[in-house]
Amino acid sequence: MNQEAPIIVGLDIGTTKIAAIAGRKNEYGKLEILGFGKATSFGVQHGMVLNIDQTIKAIRQALENCYASSPHLEINEVYVGIAGHHIKSLQTRGDIVRNDVEAEISQKDIDQLINDQYKTVIPASDQIIDVIPQQYIVDSLQNITYPIGMSGVKVGANFHIITGDKNAIRNINRSVEKSGLKIRDLVLQPLASAAAVMCDMDFEAGVAIVDIGGGTTDLAVFYEGILKHTAVIPYGGENITNDIKNGLGVLKTQAEQMKVQFGYALADEAKSNAYITIPGLRGQSPKEISVKNLAHIIQARMSEILDFVVYHLKQIGMDNKMLNGGIILTGGGSQLKHLIQLTEYTTGASARIGFPNEHLASGLFDEELTKPMYATCVGLILKGYNDYENDRKTLEENYIKINTSYLAKEQAAQSVAQQEEEWVEETPSTQEIQDRKAKERNASLKNFLDKMKTKIIDMFTEEEDAKL
């Protein structure tokens, strides 16, 4: 573990869940996950905070669960993902004329060029979230990716500007701040997901990231290392669940469970003679649901989402022949069976599932965090490290303090020794030292028993789900 690197926390405020993940890069450049917590989200719909109080409760619950996984973790600042149908994007061009033409182009010139774009005229109800340079132009030279160090009089660039509704952004800020946290930066969710599931070859080859969340489906298109387009499609996993609920006349919890356990994105792959038995309500007879009918409902909504993806690709002149890297599906909705086949059939491009294990080191949370639904949260941490390594956002020395109990034995031994030294400096009594050690043992035992209890509950839940 690289003890010098800061610990950065990503907070994913989604429609169905709120997740908080704390991580730090090791000496090999891989991300070590130090804390993880999640909670069910009730105050968010279609990626927008509609009930601040419920959202605050969910954020605090996710933080408590994160602290439970690492009791010594201290979280003050977070990188937060943002999505929702209010998100829009536009392309602009900016230029500056340099006074000292003999001097090399510096980062200061680039910063001035980017800061000028925040003055772009947009609707009064909107706010600029991010300004992303695409290609630079120095005098008559075009398609420059890194102009620093070059000479020139006029420096310009093409920019991709992301905007959002002021009130929606304000609600996110209030929810996070009232939870006792400070927002380090707001990051568009598909860009965070792209950072987690893509490698350098994907950026160059040309790919479309399709992040299927609970309330929205986020799209980000990259070509030749440049972000070409972003969009938010106002449909997601929640819409599929509601379609099942209304189409089959079942409860929402039953619809969600059927979608996860028996759902197919391609109806042709579902067995026509398979049925699901749903218990009746208040003494009513059980209901039998055809797996084939369930698949038809899911396919109809997923086809609609993918049609939007095709529409956006055509809008920017990107057909399937230009996407050499194909389409990368991620997010919770990407786990539907046979979604890859439906995507390839609808778009004509190759498709695969994007797992956020590209930059993760092995650890305690491997099995959980390598699921596509956590791609955004992992990507937020990577975005924080990108800022830190490029010195765009100076992180405080005391950004986060941690002394995790599950690090290497040598580190644990050093930690105990340091604590004992601190106690000696404070000259506590023998009884006080014994009390502190007893509290630590009890806390560790409680943490162990809680984890065992959770695993046992999950085992029984899986058995009940299998019977259903």
Side-chain angles (χ1 to χ4, degrees):
M1 178 70 68
N2 184 6
Q3 299 292 341
E4 298 300 323
I7 297 168
I8 297 174
V9 180
L11 182 66
D12 180 12
I13 302 177
T15 302
T16 57
K17 73 174 189 321
I18 291 179
I21 301 178
R24 173 166 56 190
K25 278 192 176 181
N26 60 20
E27 59 270 26
Y28 305 106
K30 294 293 186 180
L31 197 61
E32 300 270 5
I33 301 302
L34 304 176
F36 164 62
K38 66 176 180 178
T40 303
S41 178
F42 293 106
V44 183
Q45 291 184 15
H46 299 293
M48 299 175 64
V49 175
L50 299 183
N51 189 315
I52 292 180
D53 288 340
Q54 287 187 342
T55 304
I56 292 171
K57 290 179 182 178
I59 293 174
R60 288 176 176 171
Q61 183 62 53
L63 289 175
E64 288 178 8
N65 294 335
C66 190
Y67 289 136
S69 68
S70 181
H72 299 282
L73 192 64
E74 181 182 330
I75 301 175
N76 299 314
E77 298 180 331
V78 292
Y79 279 79
V80 179
I82 185 170
H85 55 76
H86 64 97
I87 299 293
K88 297 185 286 290
S89 63
L90 66 148
Q91 304 292 124
T92 64
R93 166 70 185 269
D95 300 280
I96 60 171
V97 177
R98 304 172 65 237
N99 296 325
D100 188 359
V101 297
E102 297 298 328
E104 295 179 348
I105 297 173
S106 65
Q107 184 63 49
K108 183 179 179 181
D109 297 319
I110 304 303
D111 291 341
Q112 179 185 344
L113 192 61
I114 294 174
N115 290 335
D116 287 347
Q117 301 311 303
Y118 281 92
K119 301 174 185 177
T120 302
V121 177
I122 58 174
S125 60
D126 288 347
Q127 175 180 328
I128 293 178
I129 298 172
D130 205 356
V131 174
I132 303 170
Q134 294 179 311
Q135 293 174 322
Y136 292 95
I137 301 97
V138 178
D139 292 339
S140 60
L141 298 177
Q142 299 187 8
N143 301 329
I144 298 171
T145 57
Y146 191 76
I148 295 177
M150 298 179 65
S151 298
V153 177
K154 187 178 181 180
V155 182
N158 297 320
F159 294 94
H160 185 84
I161 298 180
I162 299 168
T163 68
D165 182 76
K166 283 184 179 179
N167 290 327
I169 296 172
R170 193 176 292 117
N171 288 340
I172 291 178
N173 290 334
R174 286 175 178 169
S175 299
V176 176
E177 289 170 0
K178 288 185 177 181
S179 302
L181 300 172
K182 178 182 177 182
I183 295 179
R184 172 63 68 168
D185 197 10
L186 282 175
V187 182
L188 189 65
Q189 289 188 7
L191 299 184
S193 299
V197 303
M198 290 175 63
C199 63
D200 292 338
M201 289 186 294
D202 293 324
F203 282 101
E204 182 180 350
V207 296
I209 300 291
V210 179
D211 185 349
I212 308 171
T216 62
T217 296
D218 307 321
L219 174 67
V221 184
F222 297 87
Y223 185 67
E224 294 183 346
I226 299 171
L227 174 64
K228 299 290 289 185
H229 185 67
T230 57
V232 177
I233 300 166
Y235 301 113
E238 281 279 288
N239 298 96
I240 297 174
T241 301
N242 288 329
D243 290 345
I244 296 171
K245 169 180 171 290
N246 297 326
L248 300 178
V250 296
L251 299 177
K252 189 172 182 178
T253 54
Q254 295 172 335
E256 178 67 22
Q257 193 171 11
M258 284 194 293
K259 180 185 72 175
V260 173
Q261 287 188 260
F262 307 102
Y264 288 84
L266 202 58
D268 290 342
E269 297 294 334
K271 296 180 180 179
S272 56
N273 59 348
Y275 291 88
I276 308 164
T277 302
I278 301 297
L281 298 176
R282 293 184 175 274
Q284 297 180 4
S285 58
K287 181 183 293 186
E288 286 195 341
I289 305 296
S290 169
V291 174
K292 195 80 167 180
N293 291 340
L294 175 66
H296 277 295
I297 294 173
I298 295 174
Q299 181 177 338
R301 180 64 73 175
M302 281 308 311
S303 296
E304 183 180 13
I305 293 173
L306 293 171
D307 285 340
F308 273 102
V309 173
V310 174
Y311 168 78
H312 283 285
L313 292 175
K314 288 181 178 179
Q315 286 288 99
I316 59 172
M318 296 283 292
D319 57 18
N320 53 11
K321 295 179 181 178
M322 298 180 69
L323 294 176
N324 294 324
I327 293 176
I328 301 178
L329 301 164
T330 190
S334 66
Q335 298 177 95
L336 281 169
K337 301 178 185 70
H338 301 288
L339 180 58
I340 293 176
Q341 291 92 318
L342 178 63
T343 302
E344 292 179 339
Y345 173 77
T346 304
T347 65
S350 61
R352 63 182 174 89
I353 303 297
F355 297 95
N357 55 4
E358 180 72 29
H359 307 279
L360 286 180
S362 58
L364 291 179
F365 305 104
D366 277 359
E367 185 177 351
E368 183 74 8
L369 294 185
T370 53
K371 295 179 180 178
M373 66 179 66
Y374 298 111
T376 295
C377 213
V378 172
L380 290 171
I381 302 175
L382 295 172
K383 173 62 168 61
Y385 261 99
N386 187 49
D387 288 343
Y388 169 71
E389 291 165 355
N390 291 281
D391 201 30
R392 285 198 293 272
K393 292 182 182 295
T394 304
L395 299 182
E396 303 170 5
E397 292 182 0
N398 59 347
Y399 181 59
I400 292 179
K401 299 175 182 179
I402 187 172
N403 180 13
T404 51
S405 59
Y406 53 83
L407 298 179
K409 291 182 179 179
E410 293 82 4
Q411 296 173 352
Q414 291 175 3
S415 173
V416 173
Q418 290 174 358
Q419 289 182 356
E420 290 178 349
E421 288 175 4
E422 293 174 358
W423 296 347
V424 170
E425 290 176 0
E426 297 172 4
T427 61
S429 65
T430 304
Q431 184 61 38
E432 288 176 338
I433 294 176
Q434 291 177 350
D435 290 343
R436 289 181 182 179
K437 290 184 176 179
K439 288 181 180 179
E440 288 186 355
R441 288 195 297 270
N442 292 338
S444 299
L445 179 60
K446 184 178 182 300
N447 190 28
F448 173 76
L449 293 174
D450 288 342
K451 290 181 178 179
M452 291 297 297
K453 179 181 177 182
T454 302
K455 289 182 178 179
I456 293 172
I457 292 174
D458 290 342
M459 289 172 58
F460 282 105
T461 303
E462 290 175 358
E463 290 181 2
E464 292 178 358
D465 291 343
K467 292 179 180 179
L468 180 62

